[in-house]
Amino acid sequence: RARRRAGRTAALEAAVAARTADLSREIAERAAAEARAADLRDDLRQANRLAALGQITASVAHETAQPVAAIRNYAAAGEQLLDRGQVEEVRGNLRAIDRLTERIGAVTAELRGFSRKGSGTIGPVPLIEVIDGARLILKEGLSRVVLSLPDIPFDLLVVAGRVRLEQVVVNLLQNAIEALAGRADAAVTLTLDLHPDTVVLTVADNGPGIDPAIASRLFTPFATSRPKGLGLGLIIAQDIMGDLGGSLRLVPSTTGAAFAVELRRA
């Protein structure tokens, strides 16, 4: 009987050890799969950012070409003014050139920051800086619409990562610009609702609105009504907002489409 008990105990211990090993392998495989999924989500967000940059390359070229041409004109005029001995006018030209180079530097710096892969750091971010950064990136596209902005306090801080939140705003504004292509009365309106613990930023346009055929699956991959759209921008933006502890949703609108971005106040 003692030998049988010992045998049963040994068999039970062996079974427990085998099951423990299986569970350990399953846990390790699941952790590895989750890590791979997180890496894939980060890569997808980065690809989306780079795709957005690709779409606005022409706009950036236009935005920098104008000040470069102006710098050339100021420099040529400055040389003539020097020949005439008009030193004060030359100083004015040099100050204008300085302002233009600052403008070019601001555009390129914003694009470099936007193209980098986000570090994942979340903390207090001034909302007005995010809006200004998105406007700077999309300046050429926004010049074709009437953009209405709310009064955003300089000290209004939200919990976010600047580049990631900027990606969400760029996606929403870019979608609105594309939806309004060809409209003479194209308009995009940003509104801000302040609550004790949250901030709701709404991006609305007066375009054709969301196609009812895809409205119910708008936040699923590859759902798009645009011929050249991939249908990934909104699902990526919603994923980012989830990571930031906020949300992105389609809200009712009498005209066009409206998207509400809810953020935690810092």
Side-chain angles (χ1 to χ4, degrees):
R1 284 196 299 272
R3 283 196 296 272
R4 285 197 296 271
R5 281 198 301 270
R8 286 195 298 269
T9 300
L12 181 59
E13 290 174 349
V16 169
R19 182 55 182 159
T20 300
D22 291 340
L23 288 173
S24 298
R25 281 194 298 272
E26 290 177 10
I27 291 171
E29 290 172 358
R30 183 170 299 178
E34 290 175 353
R36 286 195 298 271
D39 289 341
L40 287 173
R41 283 198 300 272
D42 288 341
D43 290 343
L44 188 58
R45 293 170 188 165
Q46 175 68 3
N48 178 257
R49 272 200 294 274
L50 294 178
L53 283 174
Q55 290 176 348
I56 59 178
T57 298
S59 300
V60 174
H62 182 273
E63 181 65 22
T64 55
Q66 288 177 331
V68 166
I71 287 171
R72 187 180 298 113
N73 291 334
Y74 277 120
E79 188 175 5
Q80 295 177 2
L81 291 171
L82 274 178
D83 292 339
R84 299 172 188 169
Q86 296 173 291
V87 179
E88 288 303 317
E89 286 78 0
V90 173
R91 287 197 179 97
N93 281 16
L94 291 175
R95 285 192 290 269
I97 288 173
D98 183 60
R99 290 193 299 270
L100 290 167
T101 54
E102 285 183 1
R103 178 179 169 186
I104 294 173
V107 172
T108 55
E110 192 65 40
L111 291 171
R112 280 199 304 272
F114 187 74
S115 64
R116 292 193 189 100
K117 200 165 185 177
S119 64
T121 303
I122 296 176
V125 174
L127 182 60
I128 192 169
E129 291 185 3
V130 174
I131 302 300
D132 288 345
R135 289 174 59 201
L136 190 60
I137 290 174
L138 295 172
K139 183 166 184 170
E140 178 64 19
L142 290 172
S143 67
R144 298 191 293 269
V145 306
V146 176
L147 179 63
S148 300
L149 296 171
D151 291 328
I152 304 175
F154 285 95
D155 59 350
L156 177 59
L157 303 178
V158 295
V159 179
R162 172 168 173 173
V163 172
R164 285 191 285 172
L165 182 55
E166 203 169 272
Q167 183 178 359
V168 173
V169 177
V170 166
N171 263 315
L172 295 178
L173 289 176
Q174 183 71 24
N175 286 348
I177 292 169
E178 292 178 2
L180 295 169
R183 288 183 67 103
D185 61 342
V188 178
T189 303
L190 273 63
T191 56
L192 192 64
D193 292 320
L194 302 180
H195 304 282
D197 299 319
T198 60
V199 173
V200 179
L201 175 71
T202 302
V203 180
D205 63 65
N206 64 338
I210 302 299
D211 186 348
I214 66 167
S216 61
R217 52 188 181 88
L218 192 60
F219 292 99
T220 57
F222 310 114
T224 181
S225 58
R226 299 198 307 272
K228 296 182 180 180
L230 294 177
L232 293 175
L234 286 177
I235 185 65
I236 291 172
Q238 190 182 57
D239 186 41
I240 291 173
M241 291 310 304
D243 283 351
L244 299 180
S247 66
L248 170 64
R249 63 186 185 277
L250 176 69
V251 294
S253 177
T254 54
T255 59
F259 292 88
V261 178
E262 185 170 3
L263 294 150
R264 293 178 292 159
R265 294 187 73 158

